[in-house]
């Protein structure tokens, strides 16, 4: 396998490039792609920048030019439901583009001419990812997140959620907006700006993907407060250690198309 790892912001991928063995660097389409070995897995790390077009371009390039066989997106997101707290982890079970609306020609959220509103990530890879996220919370969390950061962001007992992730070209920081999305999209757990674009590209190219998000904010009026501090001191650690865990797991027990990916 060759794993493509995408994040939107530089801070979301801190440490990963340094952890690569035998890295080499290639610039293509105004982005820097780093290829090498991450914990025995052949990997390509790249920053997509923010938004659906940027993410779609990056995912396509990873597949078409770098030959990745699987894609993992790691980053931060706003909470999509009141049961989801800052510091929790979300692993996408389905992804939707919440700003897609070609009604009345097509139903709201449907990507025209695909007949789809929801795109499914790979079942087997997502299961491995949630296992890595659970193990991270149980075994690494207290050690790697400093106590003052845990207190500052009130990270008591973070949890892992599986559910619907909605992406759009908007930073959602309005209580009414997030409530409306929560009502319109049953099972919503997170809002962000890239995941569903990557999921559509992967669906169209037949490449398995998975999306991991650390909840950085409540997608309401307080969303921008301390956003960058959270990304640097908390989310970067989550992404690094969960990626380490999933790479080790994949190296030890490679994904088997017939067993792990059933149902995609
Ligand atoms: N206010 C930030 C903007 C970053 S954009 C800043 O000052 O830099 C937000 C990035 O984090 C996107 O890549 C998106 O995927 C994710 N994200 C986190 N919280 C979000 C929210 N409430 N709404 C939309 N995207 C969010």
């Amino acid at each position: 396998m060759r794993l493509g790892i995408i994040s939107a912001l530089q801070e979301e991928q801190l440490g990963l490039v340094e952890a690569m063995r035998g890295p080499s660097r290639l610039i293509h389409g105004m982005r820097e792609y780093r290829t090498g070995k991450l914990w025995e897995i052949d990997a390509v790390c790249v920053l997509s920048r923010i938004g659906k077009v940027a993410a779609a371009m990056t995912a396509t390039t990873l597949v078409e030019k770098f030959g990745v066989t699987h894609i993992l997106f790691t980053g931060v997101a706003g909470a999509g439901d009141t049961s989801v707290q800052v510091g929790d982890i979300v692993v996408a079970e389905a992804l939707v583009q919440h700003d897609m609306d070609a009604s009345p020609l097509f139903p709201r959220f449907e990507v025209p001419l695909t007949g789809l509103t929801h795109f499914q990530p790979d079942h087997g890879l997502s299961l491995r990812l949630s296992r890595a996220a659970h193990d991270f919370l149980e075994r690494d969390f207290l050690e790697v997140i400093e106590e003052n950061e845990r207190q500052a962001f009130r990270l008591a007992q973070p949890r892992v959620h599986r559910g619907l992730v909605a992406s759009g070209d908007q930073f959602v920081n309005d209580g009414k907006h997030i409530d409306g999305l929560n009502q319109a999209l049953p099972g919503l757990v997170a809002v962000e700006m890239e995941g569903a674009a990557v999921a559509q590209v992967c669906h169209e190219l037949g490449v398995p993907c998975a999306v991991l998000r650390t909840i950085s904010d409540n997608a309401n009026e307080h969303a921008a407060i301390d956003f960058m501090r959270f990304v640097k001191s908390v989310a970067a650690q989550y992404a690094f250690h969960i990626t380490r865990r999933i790479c080790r797991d994949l190296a030890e027990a490679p994904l088997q198309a017939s067993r792990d990916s059933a149902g995609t």
Side-chain angles (χ1 to χ4, degrees), residues 8 50 76-78 170-172 191-194 213 216-217 219 227:
I50 296 168
V76 293
Q170 288 154 337
F171 183 74
V172 181
V191 280
E192 38 86 309
M193 303 177 69
E194 300 85 15
R213 293 281 182 172
S216 53
D217 60 86
F227 179 85

